[in-house]
Amino acid sequence: GKGNHAHFMMKEIAEQPAVIGDTLQAFLNPLKRQIELPPLPIDLAKISQLTIVACGTAYLAGFVAKYWLERIARLPVELDIASEFRYREAPMPKDGATLVISQSGETADTLAALKYAKAQGQKVLAVLNVPESTIGRESDVVLHTLAGPEIGVASTKAFTTQLVVLAALAIATARARGAIDAQREAELSTALTEVPARAAEVLNHDARLKEIALKVAECRDVLFLGRGTSYPIALEGALKLKEISYIHAEGYAAGEMKHGPIALIDDNVPVIVVAPSDDLFEKTASNLQEVRARGGRVIFFSDKAGIARLGDAAMAAIELPTVDPFVAPILYAIPVQLLAYHAAVAKGTDVDQPRNLAKSVTVE
Ligand code: F6R
């Protein structure tokens, strides 16, 4: 059941501190402050490339993973949505591996992409919430997200637990390739260990996010901006908002604004800026100022330092916990979910069963 919640989606958002913790326990040894993965069919030290394929929100988890694996593990990553990948006949390196990500394990395009990769001689790793699924049976190893059943059509806790598993994979890959030392692994592991408590703090902003969502619900178009790992979170924010509230939303890399979308900015288009304090913060800050200069109304998701620096330029700001930038995308996923949820409730849509959508897309 939904417990005290009006919708499964809200119940599943609220479960995130617990299920992130459950998933971490399966992959992280908190005493040794080390990642522990099950035996893999590939040698992470030796692969030349990882190809990540998925659909929708699972694809956006893969997008964050690409940034992580390239940055901390120095592993080249190819990323595509499954419906394109399955038909584009990409050459795949013999010493590469493929990673598929799926909540249901039944998504037809992701399964077809997996079969293509296998036919190309690739070993396949799968990040799945339902290991006893078709994709689970076809894969060489399953890394299990312990999100529990996800009923709401919009993926929430499956996404953040996918990020947790992918973060663990990125750290293990970095270690195997000698790209990080034991001390950095311990720091990253500690940052991950703190995510459940920080996620619970983020949920405390629910009432304020609801107020902001009531304003967003009156708009026809919304933009989400971010850089680095905040870019896929911006895309996820836009995906969540459009699928459940039917408000047109787009996610953009903040630096790409001036190549077109800035023409859309006026005081009717709220711009949600996802910007934790990280090495790209100042770049995003100048994009935020460009939006302001054109009369755009900014909703700013940042931390204490970011809000001290730029909060005055925003119509509204949400202060998220200060964390190692590595784990920030896991936490910043939560306010974009809550914003979409409350906007959808305000619009009176069927939040758990949005029109035209199915929980598991078993046809292409
Ligand atoms: C968005 C959403 C979809 C799924 C996509 C993949 O909220 O739920 O975009 O993420 O259909 O589904 P799975 O993960 O089951 O392969």
Side-chain angles (χ1 to χ4, degrees), residues 13 16-17 19-21 23-24 28 61 64-65 68 156-168 171 188-189 191-196 198-200 202-203 229-230 232-233 236 274 276 320-321 323-337:
I13 290 172
Q16 288 177 112
V19 295
I20 288 170
T23 305
L24 270 176
L28 194 149
V64 174
W68 279 337
T156 54
K157 62 178 180 166
F159 179 63
T160 47
T161 55
Q162 284 160 357
L163 291 179
V164 166
V165 173
L166 294 165
I171 295 169
L188 294 171
S189 300
L192 277 173
T193 309
E194 289 168 1
V195 168
R198 299 291 90 78
V202 175
L203 291 171
T229 52
S230 298
I233 299 305
E236 170 64 2
V274 181
L320 294 155
V323 292
D324 188 310
F326 177 73
V327 302
I330 311 174
L331 292 172
Y332 282 67
I334 298 173
V336 304
Q337 296 166 350

Side-chain angles (χ1 to χ4, degrees), residues 54-59 101-108 110 127-128 135 150 152-156 158 162 236 239-240 243-244 357-361:
C55 298
T57 289
Y59 162 77
I101 307 166
S102 175
Q103 188 283 127
S104 63
E106 301 296 343
T107 301
T110 306
V127 174
L128 301 177
I135 292 175
E150 191 180 63
V153 163
S155 186
T156 54
Q162 284 160 357
E236 170 64 2
L239 176 57
K240 285 285 95 90
E243 75 176 318
I244 61 169
L357 290 172
K359 182 65 185 160
S360 154
V361 183

Side-chain angles (χ1 to χ4, degrees), residues 237-312:
L239 176 57
K240 285 285 95 90
L241 189 65
K242 66 189 138 193
E243 75 176 318
I244 61 169
S245 76
Y246 316 147
I247 296 167
H248 170 236
E250 285 192 59
Y252 251 94
E256 188 67 6
M257 278 289 286
K258 55 167 68 79
H259 300 285
I262 199 156
L264 293 172
I265 302 292
D266 63 24
D267 60 6
N268 294 314
V269 183
V271 180
I272 295 157
V273 178
V274 181
S277 293
D278 59 18
D279 54 358
L280 296 170
F281 180 84
E282 284 304 322
K283 300 283 173 197
T284 308
S286 59
N287 301 125
L288 186 156
Q289 302 287 16
E290 288 157 9
V291 168
R292 276 297 299 142
R294 283 153 189 85
R297 290 184 303 161
V298 173
I299 298 164
F300 188 42
F301 294 165
S302 189
D303 47 29
K304 196 170 185 348
I307 289 171
R309 163 89 172 77
L310 269 183
D312 291 345

